C-alpha cells in the first residue's frame, strides 16, 4: 500500500505534485491546520504530515496519530511542533533550514535601507498630499559600519551584501574563526561591546536562546554609538523593546527596523507609532521564491523517507538506517551529550574538533556519530542545528574536523573522546555506554570519573583540598536542590580537581553565587542535557 500524506497548510501545487509523481497518496487540505479537532479526528489515517506554521502539532494530535511516521515543516522554525512528544511517538520531525536564507537576508538589507532613508514615513506623507522634502533627511550606507551579530548562514549573506554596498562590516559570532572571517572579508570582533560602540547600524541574525535573549538589553543598548540604527529580522526577544523605545525617544538611537517581536502576532508594541521605526509582520521568508523552495524541499525529503528510509534535515533522529539505529541509539545519545558538554563550556571560536573512537565505537557509522557530536556542540548557540546541517555549519565556519579510530585500548569495550581546540585552550571529554544502555562520562580534562548523565548538572573545578564536598552539599541542601549523583575526580593529590553533580532541578543563580563566595572554586557551570 502506498504511503499516505496529509498537507494541512498552504503548499504549492508543484510540491503536491512531487508526492503524486513519487507514487504517494496525498490529501491537500490547506485549511485543516486551523481546525485542531478535525485534524485530530483524521490524522490517524496518515503516514506523513506536511505543514507550515498554522498547524499546531500538539501531544493530543500526536496521540491520535497512530500511523504517523514523519512531520515535514516547510520552513525553519518548528515551534509549532511538540518535538519531545513526536520523539516519544517515534515520529521524525524534518524542517527545511536553507530554503529561505537569501530571502531573509534581503529583507534585512531592505529594512536597513528603509530606516536609513525613512522611506515608509516619507511615502505615507507623500500619499497624504504633503511635500515634506526637508523633513526626511536620511543617511548613506556607503562608508558606514555595520555590526552583524551572528554570522552564520543568513548573517553571512548579509555580510556579503553589505560589503557590496561598500560598508565596513564587523561580525560578532563565537563560532566564527579568524580564517572564515578573513575569507568573508569582514572584521571579527571578540567582544560584543566593541561592536556596540563602533557600529552605525546593527543587525541581528541569531536564534533565540538563553544566551541570546535580550542580547541587546538596556545595558547593551546604552553602550551603542549615538545615532545607531537597529535592525532585527531574526527572532523576537533578542532586543529589550521597552528600552529601545526609550532610547529612540531620547534620540540616542536614530531608528529601528523590526520584522519580529517578542509577542506575535504583535497587535501592540512599545515600538509602534514611534517616528523612524519601520515594522513589518514577520515577512523575512515571505517571497514567492522562498515559499516555493521550502515547499519543494519538504516534499522531496518526506517522499525520500517514506519510500527509501533516507533521512534529511531531521531534528530528532540521526541519519542512519533502521538496522544501525537499533545498535547505535545509545552511542548517538552519548555523542550528543559529549558535544553538548563541550558546547556549553565553550564561548570562544572553535578552530578544530578532534574525535577518537575506540573499540566498539570505532566499528559503527562514524559519520552519523560525528554528526550527532557536532550538532551537540553547535546547538548550544543555535538550537536549529541538526545532525544533517551541523557538519555544513562547522565547515562554513572554518572548523576543522578530524577523526581517529582504534582497536580497544583500555578497560572499556569502547569509548568516544572529543577534544575541541580554540585559540586559547584545548578542552576534552570522553564517554562510554554501559551494558544498561546508559551513556556515562568517564573522563574530563584528562581526569578519570564515572558520571551518569542527567537533565540538569553542575560542573565545578577547584584545587584539591578539604571542604569541597561539604560546600557543594550544604549549598545545594540549603537551596532545596536534591543531588541524584555526585562524582569527583582529581589529577593528583593537591592538584586540579573536578566535581560533576547530577541534580533533580536546575541549580539557581543564588546557589552558584553562594558557591563563588566561598573562594574554593575556579569554575562553576550549570549544564543542561536532553536525556529524553
Amino acid at each position: 500500500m502506498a504511503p499516505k500524506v496529509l498537507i494541512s497548510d498552504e503548499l504549492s501545487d508543484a510540491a503536491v505534485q512531487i508526492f503524486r509523481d513519487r507514487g504517494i497518496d496525498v490529501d491537500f487540505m490547506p485549511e485543516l491546520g486551523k481546525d485542531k479537532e478535525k485534524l485530530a479526528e483524521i490524522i490517524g489515517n496518515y503516514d506523513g504530515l506536511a505543514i507550515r506554521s498554522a498547524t499546531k502539532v500538539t501531544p493530543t494530535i500526536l496521540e491520535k496519530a497512530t500511523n504517523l511516521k514523519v512531520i515535514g515543516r516547510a520552513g525553519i522554525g518548528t515551534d509549532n511542533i511538540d518535538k519531545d512528544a513526536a520523539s516519544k511517538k517515534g515520529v521524525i520531525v524534518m524542517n527545511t533550514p536553507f530554503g529561505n536564507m537569501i530571502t531573509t537576508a534581503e529583507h534585512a538589507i531592505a529594512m536597513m535601507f528603509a530606516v536609513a532613508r525613512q522611506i515608509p514615513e516619507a511615502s505615507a506623507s507623500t500619499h497624504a498630499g504633503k511635500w515634506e522634502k526637508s523633513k526626511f533627511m536620511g543617511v548613506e550606507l556607503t562608508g558606514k559600519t555595520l555590526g552583524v551579530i551572528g554570522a552564520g548562514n543568513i548573517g553571512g549573506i548579509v555580510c556579503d551584501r553589505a560589503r557590496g554596498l561598500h560598508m565596513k562590516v564587523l561580525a560578532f559570532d563565537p563560532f566564527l574563526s579568524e580564517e572564515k572571517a578573513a575569507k568573508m572579508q569582514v572584521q571579527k570582533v571578540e567582544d560584543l561591546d566593541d561592536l556596540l560602540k563602533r557600529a552605525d547600524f546593527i543587525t541581528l541574525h541569531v536564534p533565540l536562546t538563553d544566551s541570546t535573549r535580550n542580547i541587546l538589553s538596556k545595558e547593551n543598548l546604552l553602550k551603542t554609538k549615538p545615532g545607531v540604527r537597529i535592525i532585527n529580522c531574526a527572532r523576537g526577544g533578542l532586543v529589550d523593546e521597552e528600552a529601545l523605545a526609550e532610547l529612540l525617544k531620547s534620540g540616542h538611537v536614530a531608528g529601528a527596523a523590526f520584522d519580529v517581536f517578542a509577542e506575535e502576532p504583535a497587535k501592540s508594541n512599545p515600538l509602534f507609532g514611534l517616528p523612524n521605526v519601520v515594522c513589518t509582520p514577520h515577512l523575512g521568508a515571505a517571497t514567492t521564491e522562498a515559499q516555493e523552495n521550502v515547499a519543494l524541499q519538504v516534499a522531496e525529503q518526506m517522499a525520500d523517507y517514506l519510500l527509501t528510509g533516507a533521512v534529511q534535515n531531521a531534528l530528532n533522529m540521526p541519519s542512519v538506517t533502521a538496522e544501525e539505529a537499533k545498535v547505535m541509539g545509545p552511542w548517538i545519545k552519548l555523542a550528543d551529550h559529549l558535544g553538548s558538554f563541550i558546547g556549553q563550556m565553550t564561548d570562544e571560536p572553535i578552530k578544530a574538533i578532534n574525535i577518537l573512537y575506540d573499540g566498539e565505537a570505532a566499528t559503527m557509522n562514524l559519520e552519523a556519530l560525528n554528526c550527532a557530536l557536532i550538532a551537540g556542540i553547535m546547538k548550544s548557540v543555535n538550537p536549529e542545528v541538526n545532525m544533517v546541517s551541523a557538519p555544513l555549519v562547522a565547515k562554513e565556519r572554518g572548523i576543522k574536523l578530524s577523526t581517529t579510530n582504534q582497536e580497544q585500548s583500555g578497560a572499556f569495550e569502547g569509548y568516544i573522546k572529543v577534544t575541541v581546540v580554540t585559540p586559547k585552550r584545548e578542552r576534552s571529554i570522553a564517554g562510554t555506554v554501559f551494558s544498561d544502555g546508559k551513556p556515562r562520562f568517564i573522563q574530563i580534562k584528562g581526569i578519570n570519573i564515572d558520571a551518569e548523565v542527567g537533565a540538569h548538572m553542575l560542573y565545578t573545578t577547584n584545587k584539591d583540598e578539604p571542604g569541597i564536598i561539604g560546600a557543594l552539599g550544604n549549598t545545594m541542601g540549603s537551596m532545596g536542590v536534591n543531588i541524584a549523583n555526585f562524582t569527583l575526580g582529581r589529577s593528583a593529590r593537591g592538584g586540579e580537581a573536578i566535581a560533576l553533580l547530577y541534580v533533580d532541578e536546575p541549580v539557581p543563580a543564588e546557589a552558584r553565587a553562594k558557591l563563588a563566595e566561598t573562594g574554593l572554586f575556579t569554575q562553576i557551570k550549570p549544564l543542561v542535557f536532553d536525556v529524553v
Side-chain angles (χ1 to χ4, degrees), residues 4-12 15-16 19 26-43 46 48-58 61 68 70-74 80-81 298 302:
K4 195 170 183 178
V5 168
L6 171 65
I7 302 174
S8 59
D9 288 336
E10 288 287 352
L11 225 60
S12 73
V16 177
F19 286 117
V26 58
D27 286 339
F28 182 40
M29 304 171 69
E31 299 299 317
L32 186 62
K34 302 172 185 176
D35 188 345
K36 59 184 180 181
E37 287 80 13
K38 182 64 175 177
L39 178 60
E41 181 182 327
I42 68 171
I43 190 63
Y46 297 94
L49 175 64
I51 65 172
R52 285 195 187 276
S53 57
T55 300
K56 311 300 181 188
V57 186
T58 64
I61 297 295
L68 196 64
V70 59
I71 300 167
R73 164 70 162 96
N80 55 322
I81 304 171
V298 80
M302 292 179 67

Side-chain angles (χ1 to χ4, degrees), residues 86-107:
S87 297
K88 290 176 183 178
K89 286 281 290 186
V91 178
I92 298 171
V93 178
M94 297 177 173
N95 69 347
T96 53
F98 307 116
N100 56 14
M101 294 186 302
I102 290 176
T103 288
T104 303
E106 286 186 353
H107 193 64

Side-chain angles (χ1 to χ4, degrees), residues 286-342:
T287 63
T288 302
E289 293 87 351
Q291 295 305 300
E292 185 76 358
N293 288 342
V294 296
L296 297 178
Q297 188 179 349
V298 80
E300 289 284 5
Q301 289 177 191
M302 292 179 67
D304 282 345
Y305 174 70
L306 290 171
L307 296 175
T308 70
V311 178
Q312 300 178 64
N313 296 324
L315 300 174
N316 62 343
M317 179 180 173
S319 298
V320 295
T321 65
E323 292 76 15
E324 288 176 323
K326 293 178 183 178
V327 177
M328 290 184 61
W331 289 92
I332 289 283
K333 181 59 69 174
L334 170 66
D336 177 77
H337 290 336
L338 294 172
S340 181
F341 181 95
I342 291 287

Side-chain angles (χ1 to χ4, degrees), residues 278-289:
V278 182
C279 295
T280 52
H282 208 142
L283 299 179
T287 63
T288 302
E289 293 87 351

Side-chain angles (χ1 to χ4, degrees), residues 230-248:
I230 311 290
I231 298 95
N232 185 12
C233 294
R235 286 287 184 268
L238 298 176
V239 182
D240 184 332
E241 295 165 350
E242 292 277 2
L244 177 58
E246 291 178 15
L247 292 174
L248 282 160

Side-chain angles (χ1 to χ4, degrees), residues 98-174:
F98 307 116
N100 56 14
M101 294 186 302
I102 290 176
T103 288
T104 303
E106 286 186 353
H107 193 64
I109 295 293
M111 294 285 270
M112 184 162 59
F113 270 115
V115 75
R117 300 304 296 269
Q118 303 182 66
I119 291 173
E121 288 180 274
S123 176
S125 171
T126 307
H127 274 290
K130 303 175 183 180
W131 195 258
E132 301 177 297
K133 188 173 180 179
S134 61
K135 180 179 179 180
F136 300 109
M137 184 64 65
V139 295
E140 291 184 354
L141 299 185
T142 298
K144 298 299 190 299
T145 298
L146 174 65
V148 180
I149 300 176
N153 294 317
I154 296 172
I157 296 171
V158 170
C159 290
D160 179 68
R161 301 300 191 265
R163 287 193 306 101
L165 296 171
H166 299 283
M167 300 185 79
K168 301 171 184 176
V169 183
L170 308 177
F172 173 75
D173 188 323

